[in-house]
PDB file of all heavy atoms in Angstrom:
ATOM      1  N   SER H 126    -101.413   2.029  32.559  1.00 92.00           N
ATOM      2  CA  SER H 126    -100.594   2.570  31.471  1.00 92.00           C
ATOM      3  C   SER H 126     -99.547   3.575  31.942  1.00 92.00           C
ATOM      4  O   SER H 126     -98.672   3.964  31.173  1.00 92.00           O
ATOM      5  CB  SER H 126    -101.482   3.228  30.411  1.00 92.00           C
ATOM      6  OG  SER H 126    -102.230   4.294  30.965  1.00 92.00           O
ATOM      7  N   LEU H 127     -99.615   4.004  33.203  1.00 94.00           N
ATOM      8  CA  LEU H 127     -98.596   4.903  33.741  1.00 94.00           C
ATOM      9  C   LEU H 127     -97.282   4.166  34.025  1.00 94.00           C
ATOM     10  O   LEU H 127     -96.215   4.774  34.041  1.00 94.00           O
ATOM     11  CB  LEU H 127     -99.081   5.546  35.046  1.00 94.00           C
ATOM     12  CG  LEU H 127    -100.153   6.622  34.947  1.00 94.00           C
ATOM     13  CD1 LEU H 127    -100.685   6.953  36.337  1.00 94.00           C
ATOM     14  CD2 LEU H 127     -99.588   7.868  34.288  1.00 94.00           C
ATOM     15  N   GLY H 128     -97.355   2.858  34.246  1.00 96.00           N
ATOM     16  CA  GLY H 128     -96.196   2.114  34.716  1.00 96.00           C
ATOM     17  C   GLY H 128     -95.004   2.159  33.785  1.00 96.00           C
ATOM     18  O   GLY H 128     -93.879   2.492  34.206  1.00 96.00           O
ATOM     19  N   GLN H 129     -95.215   1.852  32.525  1.00 96.00           N
ATOM     20  CA  GLN H 129     -94.091   1.789  31.597  1.00 96.00           C
ATOM     21  C   GLN H 129     -93.443   3.151  31.333  1.00 96.00           C
ATOM     22  O   GLN H 129     -92.211   3.249  31.343  1.00 96.00           O
ATOM     23  CB  GLN H 129     -94.517   1.112  30.296  1.00 96.00           C
ATOM     24  CG  GLN H 129     -94.809  -0.370  30.467  1.00 96.00           C
ATOM     25  CD  GLN H 129     -94.910  -1.114  29.159  1.00 96.00           C
ATOM     26  OE1 GLN H 129     -94.119  -0.911  28.235  1.00 96.00           O
ATOM     27  NE2 GLN H 129     -95.893  -1.999  29.066  1.00 96.00           N
ATOM     28  N   PRO H 130     -94.214   4.222  31.097  1.00 95.00           N
ATOM     29  CA  PRO H 130     -93.563   5.533  30.938  1.00 95.00           C
ATOM     30  C   PRO H 130     -92.757   5.950  32.160  1.00 95.00           C
ATOM     31  O   PRO H 130     -91.674   6.531  32.024  1.00 95.00           O
ATOM     32  CB  PRO H 130     -94.743   6.485  30.708  1.00 95.00           C
ATOM     33  CG  PRO H 130     -95.835   5.636  30.173  1.00 95.00           C
ATOM     34  CD  PRO H 130     -95.664   4.306  30.836  1.00 95.00           C
ATOM     35  N   LEU H 131     -93.255   5.647  33.347  1.00 96.00           N
ATOM     36  CA  LEU H 131     -92.519   5.977  34.566  1.00 96.00           C
ATOM     37  C   LEU H 131     -91.221   5.168  34.648  1.00 96.00           C
ATOM     38  O   LEU H 131     -90.173   5.695  35.033  1.00 96.00           O
ATOM     39  CB  LEU H 131     -93.383   5.702  35.797  1.00 96.00           C
ATOM     40  CG  LEU H 131     -94.570   6.651  36.001  1.00 96.00           C
ATOM     41  CD1 LEU H 131     -95.485   6.123  37.096  1.00 96.00           C
ATOM     42  CD2 LEU H 131     -94.097   8.059  36.344  1.00 96.00           C
ATOM     43  N   GLY H 132     -91.296   3.894  34.266  1.00 96.00           N
ATOM     44  CA  GLY H 132     -90.095   3.074  34.248  1.00 96.00           C
ATOM     45  C   GLY H 132     -89.071   3.584  33.256  1.00 96.00           C
ATOM     46  O   GLY H 132     -87.863   3.603  33.529  1.00 96.00           O
ATOM     47  N   LYS H 133     -89.533   4.024  32.105  1.00 95.00           N
ATOM     48  CA  LYS H 133     -88.622   4.543  31.086  1.00 95.00           C
ATOM     49  C   LYS H 133     -87.902   5.798  31.566  1.00 95.00           C
ATOM     50  O   LYS H 133     -86.680   5.931  31.396  1.00 95.00           O
ATOM     51  CB  LYS H 133     -89.394   4.857  29.799  1.00 95.00           C
ATOM     52  CG  LYS H 133     -89.843   3.639  29.024  1.00 95.00           C
ATOM     53  CD  LYS H 133     -90.598   4.047  27.767  1.00 95.00           C
ATOM     54  CE  LYS H 133     -91.056   2.850  26.961  1.00 95.00           C
ATOM     55  NZ  LYS H 133     -91.817   3.265  25.751  1.00 95.00           N
ATOM     56  N   ILE H 134     -88.645   6.721  32.157  1.00 93.00           N
ATOM     57  CA  ILE H 134     -88.021   7.970  32.585  1.00 93.00           C
ATOM     58  C   ILE H 134     -87.060   7.716  33.736  1.00 93.00           C
ATOM     59  O   ILE H 134     -86.020   8.377  33.857  1.00 93.00           O
ATOM     60  CB  ILE H 134     -89.094   9.021  32.959  1.00 93.00           C
ATOM     61  CG1 ILE H 134     -88.507  10.430  32.900  1.00 93.00           C
ATOM     62  CG2 ILE H 134     -89.731   8.766  34.286  1.00 93.00           C
ATOM     63  CD1 ILE H 134     -88.202  10.925  31.522  1.00 93.00           C
ATOM     64  N   LEU H 135     -87.363   6.730  34.585  1.00 94.00           N
ATOM     65  CA  LEU H 135     -86.439   6.368  35.655  1.00 94.00           C
ATOM     66  C   LEU H 135     -85.146   5.802  35.073  1.00 94.00           C
ATOM     67  O   LEU H 135     -84.040   6.180  35.479  1.00 94.00           O
ATOM     68  CB  LEU H 135     -87.091   5.342  36.589  1.00 94.00           C
ATOM     69  CG  LEU H 135     -86.222   4.826  37.734  1.00 94.00           C
ATOM     70  CD1 LEU H 135     -85.840   5.959  38.680  1.00 94.00           C
ATOM     71  CD2 LEU H 135     -86.941   3.716  38.500  1.00 94.00           C
ATOM     72  N   ALA H 136     -85.277   4.909  34.093  1.00 95.00           N
ATOM     73  CA  ALA H 136     -84.103   4.280  33.486  1.00 95.00           C
ATOM     74  C   ALA H 136     -83.229   5.285  32.751  1.00 95.00           C
ATOM     75  O   ALA H 136     -82.009   5.109  32.656  1.00 95.00           O
ATOM     76  CB  ALA H 136     -84.545   3.178  32.528  1.00 95.00           C
ATOM     77  N   MET H 137     -83.838   6.337  32.240  1.00 91.00           N
ATOM     78  CA  MET H 137     -83.075   7.345  31.499  1.00 91.00           C
ATOM     79  C   MET H 137     -82.331   8.305  32.413  1.00 91.00           C
ATOM     80  O   MET H 137     -81.450   9.041  31.962  1.00 91.00           O
ATOM     81  CB  MET H 137     -84.001   8.124  30.557  1.00 91.00           C
ATOM     82  CG  MET H 137     -84.470   7.308  29.369  1.00 91.00           C
ATOM     83  SD  MET H 137     -85.377   8.274  28.131  1.00 91.00           S
ATOM     84  CE  MET H 137     -86.951   8.492  28.954  1.00 91.00           C
ATOM     85  N   THR H 138     -82.667   8.303  33.701  1.00 88.00           N
ATOM     86  CA  THR H 138     -82.021   9.235  34.628  1.00 88.00           C
ATOM     87  C   THR H 138     -81.065   8.563  35.604  1.00 88.00           C
ATOM     88  O   THR H 138     -80.339   9.236  36.326  1.00 88.00           O
ATOM     89  CB  THR H 138     -83.082  10.019  35.439  1.00 88.00           C
ATOM     90  OG1 THR H 138     -83.905   9.097  36.148  1.00 88.00           O
ATOM     91  CG2 THR H 138     -83.938  10.878  34.532  1.00 88.00           C
ATOM     92  N   ILE H 139     -81.066   7.227  35.627  1.00 89.00           N
ATOM     93  CA  ILE H 139     -80.176   6.477  36.520  1.00 89.00           C
ATOM     94  C   ILE H 139     -79.347   5.521  35.668  1.00 89.00           C
ATOM     95  O   ILE H 139     -79.875   4.824  34.806  1.00 89.00           O
ATOM     96  CB  ILE H 139     -80.976   5.707  37.588  1.00 89.00           C
ATOM     97  CG1 ILE H 139     -81.730   6.679  38.487  1.00 89.00           C
ATOM     98  CG2 ILE H 139     -80.063   4.813  38.409  1.00 89.00           C
ATOM     99  CD1 ILE H 139     -82.566   6.017  39.560  1.00 89.00           C
ATOM    100  N   ALA H 140     -78.056   5.477  35.915  1.00 88.00           N
ATOM    101  CA  ALA H 140     -77.156   4.664  35.107  1.00 88.00           C
ATOM    102  C   ALA H 140     -77.451   3.169  35.257  1.00 88.00           C
ATOM    103  O   ALA H 140     -77.670   2.681  36.369  1.00 88.00           O
ATOM    104  CB  ALA H 140     -75.712   4.941  35.498  1.00 88.00           C
ATOM    105  N   LYS H 141     -77.432   2.462  34.149  1.00 92.00           N
ATOM    106  CA  LYS H 141     -77.614   1.020  34.154  1.00 92.00           C
ATOM    107  C   LYS H 141     -76.372   0.352  34.734  1.00 92.00           C
ATOM    108  O   LYS H 141     -75.251   0.664  34.343  1.00 92.00           O
ATOM    109  CB  LYS H 141     -77.847   0.536  32.726  1.00 92.00           C
ATOM    110  CG  LYS H 141     -77.857  -0.972  32.555  1.00 92.00           C
ATOM    111  CD  LYS H 141     -77.894  -1.343  31.085  1.00 92.00           C
ATOM    112  CE  LYS H 141     -77.705  -2.836  30.891  1.00 92.00           C
ATOM    113  NZ  LYS H 141     -77.665  -3.197  29.447  1.00 92.00           N
ATOM    114  N   PRO H 142     -76.538  -0.586  35.664  1.00 92.00           N
ATOM    115  CA  PRO H 142     -75.373  -1.298  36.197  1.00 92.00           C
ATOM    116  C   PRO H 142     -74.779  -2.238  35.148  1.00 92.00           C
ATOM    117  O   PRO H 142     -75.477  -2.718  34.253  1.00 92.00           O
ATOM    118  CB  PRO H 142     -75.942  -2.080  37.382  1.00 92.00           C
ATOM    119  CG  PRO H 142     -77.392  -2.218  37.072  1.00 92.00           C
ATOM    120  CD  PRO H 142     -77.793  -1.003  36.308  1.00 92.00           C
ATOM    121  N   ASP H 143     -73.499  -2.493  35.252  1.00 92.00           N
ATOM    122  CA  ASP H 143     -72.829  -3.400  34.315  1.00 92.00           C
ATOM    123  C   ASP H 143     -73.186  -4.854  34.615  1.00 92.00           C
ATOM    124  O   ASP H 143     -73.511  -5.218  35.743  1.00 92.00           O
ATOM    125  CB  ASP H 143     -71.314  -3.224  34.416  1.00 92.00           C
ATOM    126  CG  ASP H 143     -70.859  -1.834  33.990  1.00 92.00           C
ATOM    127  OD1 ASP H 143     -71.524  -1.256  33.105  1.00 92.00           O
ATOM    128  OD2 ASP H 143     -69.861  -1.342  34.538  1.00 92.00           O
ATOM    129  N   ASN H 144     -73.114  -5.672  33.568  1.00 92.00           N
ATOM    130  CA  ASN H 144     -73.267  -7.134  33.702  1.00 92.00           C
ATOM    131  C   ASN H 144     -74.578  -7.521  34.392  1.00 92.00           C
ATOM    132  O   ASN H 144     -74.602  -8.370  35.281  1.00 92.00           O
ATOM    133  CB  ASN H 144     -72.081  -7.722  34.480  1.00 92.00           C
ATOM    134  CG  ASN H 144     -70.746  -7.375  33.837  1.00 92.00           C
ATOM    135  OD1 ASN H 144     -70.603  -7.474  32.621  1.00 92.00           O
ATOM    136  ND2 ASN H 144     -69.785  -6.956  34.646  1.00 92.00           N
ATOM    137  N   LEU H 145     -75.654  -6.908  33.959  1.00 97.00           N
ATOM    138  CA  LEU H 145     -76.966  -7.168  34.559  1.00 97.00           C
ATOM    139  C   LEU H 145     -77.735  -8.169  33.710  1.00 97.00           C
ATOM    140  O   LEU H 145     -77.994  -7.926  32.521  1.00 97.00           O
ATOM    141  CB  LEU H 145     -77.748  -5.860  34.675  1.00 97.00           C
ATOM    142  CG  LEU H 145     -79.116  -5.906  35.345  1.00 97.00           C
ATOM    143  CD1 LEU H 145     -78.994  -6.383  36.786  1.00 97.00           C
ATOM    144  CD2 LEU H 145     -79.769  -4.514  35.296  1.00 97.00           C
ATOM    145  N   ASP H 146     -78.108  -9.310  34.303  1.00 97.00           N
ATOM    146  CA  ASP H 146     -78.831 -10.345  33.566  1.00 97.00           C
ATOM    147  C   ASP H 146     -80.338 -10.151  33.593  1.00 97.00           C
ATOM    148  O   ASP H 146     -81.025 -10.373  32.589  1.00 97.00           O
ATOM    149  CB  ASP H 146     -78.509 -11.729  34.149  1.00 97.00           C
ATOM    150  CG  ASP H 146     -77.060 -12.134  33.942  1.00 97.00           C
ATOM    151  OD1 ASP H 146     -76.553 -11.972  32.816  1.00 97.00           O
ATOM    152  OD2 ASP H 146     -76.429 -12.604  34.918  1.00 97.00           O
ATOM    153  N   TYR H 147     -80.871  -9.758  34.761  1.00 98.00           N
ATOM    154  CA  TYR H 147     -82.322  -9.703  34.913  1.00 98.00           C
ATOM    155  C   TYR H 147     -82.774  -8.486  35.720  1.00 98.00           C
ATOM    156  O   TYR H 147     -82.039  -7.984  36.582  1.00 98.00           O
ATOM    157  CB  TYR H 147     -82.836 -10.950  35.640  1.00 98.00           C
ATOM    158  CG  TYR H 147     -82.634 -12.252  34.929  1.00 98.00           C
ATOM    159  CD1 TYR H 147     -81.881 -13.273  35.513  1.00 98.00           C
ATOM    160  CD2 TYR H 147     -83.210 -12.489  33.683  1.00 98.00           C
ATOM    161  CE1 TYR H 147     -81.713 -14.486  34.878  1.00 98.00           C
ATOM    162  CE2 TYR H 147     -83.033 -13.710  33.036  1.00 98.00           C
ATOM    163  CZ  TYR H 147     -82.279 -14.693  33.629  1.00 98.00           C
ATOM    164  OH  TYR H 147     -82.101 -15.899  32.997  1.00 98.00           O
ATOM    165  N   LEU H 148     -83.989  -8.082  35.438  1.00 98.00           N
ATOM    166  CA  LEU H 148     -84.745  -7.191  36.314  1.00 98.00           C
ATOM    167  C   LEU H 148     -85.797  -8.050  37.002  1.00 98.00           C
ATOM    168  O   LEU H 148     -86.556  -8.764  36.336  1.00 98.00           O
ATOM    169  CB  LEU H 148     -85.442  -6.087  35.520  1.00 98.00           C
ATOM    170  CG  LEU H 148     -84.569  -5.153  34.687  1.00 98.00           C
ATOM    171  CD1 LEU H 148     -85.451  -4.214  33.857  1.00 98.00           C
ATOM    172  CD2 LEU H 148     -83.620  -4.359  35.567  1.00 98.00           C
ATOM    173  N   ILE H 149     -85.852  -7.999  38.323  1.00 98.00           N
ATOM    174  CA  ILE H 149     -86.817  -8.809  39.071  1.00 98.00           C
ATOM    175  C   ILE H 149     -87.767  -7.886  39.822  1.00 98.00           C
ATOM    176  O   ILE H 149     -87.365  -7.224  40.792  1.00 98.00           O
ATOM    177  CB  ILE H 149     -86.109  -9.758  40.057  1.00 98.00           C
ATOM    178  CG1 ILE H 149     -85.179 -10.704  39.301  1.00 98.00           C
ATOM    179  CG2 ILE H 149     -87.138 -10.543  40.869  1.00 98.00           C
ATOM    180  CD1 ILE H 149     -84.438 -11.688  40.185  1.00 98.00           C
ATOM    181  N   PRO H 150     -89.025  -7.788  39.380  1.00 98.00           N
ATOM    182  CA  PRO H 150     -89.983  -6.934  40.089  1.00 98.00           C
ATOM    183  C   PRO H 150     -90.476  -7.586  41.376  1.00 98.00           C
ATOM    184  O   PRO H 150     -90.577  -8.816  41.458  1.00 98.00           O
ATOM    185  CB  PRO H 150     -91.130  -6.788  39.080  1.00 98.00           C
ATOM    186  CG  PRO H 150     -91.047  -8.019  38.236  1.00 98.00           C
ATOM    187  CD  PRO H 150     -89.593  -8.400  38.170  1.00 98.00           C
ATOM    188  N   VAL H 151     -90.751  -6.770  42.368  1.00 97.00           N
ATOM    189  CA  VAL H 151     -91.411  -7.273  43.577  1.00 97.00           C
ATOM    190  C   VAL H 151     -92.771  -7.827  43.160  1.00 97.00           C
ATOM    191  O   VAL H 151     -93.525  -7.163  42.449  1.00 97.00           O
ATOM    192  CB  VAL H 151     -91.578  -6.149  44.615  1.00 97.00           C
ATOM    193  CG1 VAL H 151     -92.432  -6.613  45.787  1.00 97.00           C
ATOM    194  CG2 VAL H 151     -90.205  -5.681  45.107  1.00 97.00           C
ATOM    195  N   PRO H 152     -93.108  -9.045  43.555  1.00 96.00           N
ATOM    196  CA  PRO H 152     -94.373  -9.652  43.100  1.00 96.00           C
ATOM    197  C   PRO H 152     -95.603  -9.004  43.717  1.00 96.00           C
ATOM    198  O   PRO H 152     -95.520  -8.331  44.747  1.00 96.00           O
ATOM    199  CB  PRO H 152     -94.238 -11.118  43.541  1.00 96.00           C
ATOM    200  CG  PRO H 152     -93.290 -11.085  44.696  1.00 96.00           C
ATOM    201  CD  PRO H 152     -92.322  -9.979  44.397  1.00 96.00           C
ATOM    202  N   LEU H 153     -96.717  -9.226  43.072  1.00 94.00           N
ATOM    203  CA  LEU H 153     -98.000  -8.736  43.563  1.00 94.00           C
ATOM    204  C   LEU H 153     -98.448  -9.588  44.743  1.00 94.00           C
ATOM    205  O   LEU H 153     -98.273 -10.809  44.755  1.00 94.00           O
ATOM    206  CB  LEU H 153     -99.040  -8.815  42.441  1.00 94.00           C
ATOM    207  CG  LEU H 153    -100.393  -8.147  42.665  1.00 94.00           C
ATOM    208  CD1 LEU H 153    -100.226  -6.634  42.776  1.00 94.00           C
ATOM    209  CD2 LEU H 153    -101.342  -8.485  41.503  1.00 94.00           C
ATOM    210  N   HIS H 154     -99.025  -8.956  45.749  1.00 91.00           N
ATOM    211  CA  HIS H 154     -99.510  -9.682  46.924  1.00 91.00           C
ATOM    212  C   HIS H 154    -100.557 -10.727  46.541  1.00 91.00           C
ATOM    213  O   HIS H 154    -101.328 -10.541  45.592  1.00 91.00           O
ATOM    214  CB  HIS H 154    -100.112  -8.709  47.939  1.00 91.00           C
ATOM    215  CG  HIS H 154     -99.080  -7.933  48.702  1.00 91.00           C
ATOM    216  ND1 HIS H 154     -98.456  -8.418  49.829  1.00 91.00           N
ATOM    217  CD2 HIS H 154     -98.551  -6.690  48.486  1.00 91.00           C
ATOM    218  CE1 HIS H 154     -97.596  -7.519  50.279  1.00 91.00           C
ATOM    219  NE2 HIS H 154     -97.632  -6.470  49.488  1.00 91.00           N
ATOM    220  N   ILE H 155    -100.586 -11.790  47.282  1.00 90.00           N
ATOM    221  CA  ILE H 155    -101.490 -12.907  46.993  1.00 90.00           C
ATOM    222  C   ILE H 155    -102.945 -12.463  46.945  1.00 90.00           C
ATOM    223  O   ILE H 155    -103.706 -12.860  46.063  1.00 90.00           O
ATOM    224  CB  ILE H 155    -101.315 -14.028  48.051  1.00 90.00           C
ATOM    225  CG1 ILE H 155     -99.923 -14.640  47.940  1.00 90.00           C
ATOM    226  CG2 ILE H 155    -102.392 -15.103  47.886  1.00 90.00           C
ATOM    227  CD1 ILE H 155     -99.598 -15.627  49.043  1.00 90.00           C
ATOM    228  N   ASP H 156    -103.359 -11.648  47.894  1.00 85.00           N
ATOM    229  CA  ASP H 156    -104.767 -11.259  47.982  1.00 85.00           C
ATOM    230  C   ASP H 156    -105.020  -9.864  47.422  1.00 85.00           C
ATOM    231  O   ASP H 156    -106.029  -9.230  47.752  1.00 85.00           O
ATOM    232  CB  ASP H 156    -105.242 -11.320  49.430  1.00 85.00           C
ATOM    233  CG  ASP H 156    -104.467 -10.366  50.330  1.00 85.00           C
ATOM    234  OD1 ASP H 156    -103.385  -9.896  49.907  1.00 85.00           O
ATOM    235  OD2 ASP H 156    -104.938 -10.071  51.446  1.00 85.00           O
ATOM    236  N   SER H 157    -104.141  -9.391  46.562  1.00 86.00           N
ATOM    237  CA  SER H 157    -104.287  -8.041  46.026  1.00 86.00           C
ATOM    238  C   SER H 157    -105.551  -7.907  45.177  1.00 86.00           C
ATOM    239  O   SER H 157    -105.906  -8.828  44.423  1.00 86.00           O
ATOM    240  CB  SER H 157    -103.073  -7.671  45.176  1.00 86.00           C
ATOM    241  OG  SER H 157    -103.241  -6.406  44.579  1.00 86.00           O
ATOM    242  N   GLU H 158    -106.223  -6.782  45.302  1.00 85.00           N
ATOM    243  CA  GLU H 158    -107.391  -6.496  44.479  1.00 85.00           C
ATOM    244  C   GLU H 158    -106.979  -5.953  43.115  1.00 85.00           C
ATOM    245  O   GLU H 158    -107.812  -5.818  42.228  1.00 85.00           O
ATOM    246  CB  GLU H 158    -108.295  -5.482  45.199  1.00 85.00           C
ATOM    247  CG  GLU H 158    -108.860  -5.992  46.516  1.00 85.00           C
ATOM    248  CD  GLU H 158    -109.712  -4.944  47.225  1.00 85.00           C
ATOM    249  OE1 GLU H 158    -109.770  -3.806  46.729  1.00 85.00           O
ATOM    250  OE2 GLU H 158    -110.307  -5.273  48.256  1.00 85.00           O
ATOM    251  N   ARG H 159    -105.714  -5.641  42.967  1.00 88.00           N
ATOM    252  CA  ARG H 159    -105.217  -5.075  41.717  1.00 88.00           C
ATOM    253  C   ARG H 159    -105.128  -6.165  40.650  1.00 88.00           C
ATOM    254  O   ARG H 159    -104.716  -7.298  40.934  1.00 88.00           O
ATOM    255  CB  ARG H 159    -103.845  -4.448  41.961  1.00 88.00           C
ATOM    256  CG  ARG H 159    -103.398  -3.431  40.940  1.00 88.00           C
ATOM    257  CD  ARG H 159    -102.113  -2.741  41.387  1.00 88.00           C
ATOM    258  NE  ARG H 159    -102.323  -2.071  42.672  1.00 88.00           N
ATOM    259  CZ  ARG H 159    -101.639  -2.339  43.764  1.00 88.00           C
ATOM    260  NH1 ARG H 159    -100.699  -3.261  43.744  1.00 88.00           N
ATOM    261  NH2 ARG H 159    -101.883  -1.695  44.886  1.00 88.00           N
TER     262      ARG H 159
END
């Protein structure tokens, strides 16, 4: 549950780039325990 609030505060402090279609997260490792 920490992830989304942290993402929000980051987005509010850094300018959004123009003409942005997608946000692409780095994927989770294949053997991740998470």
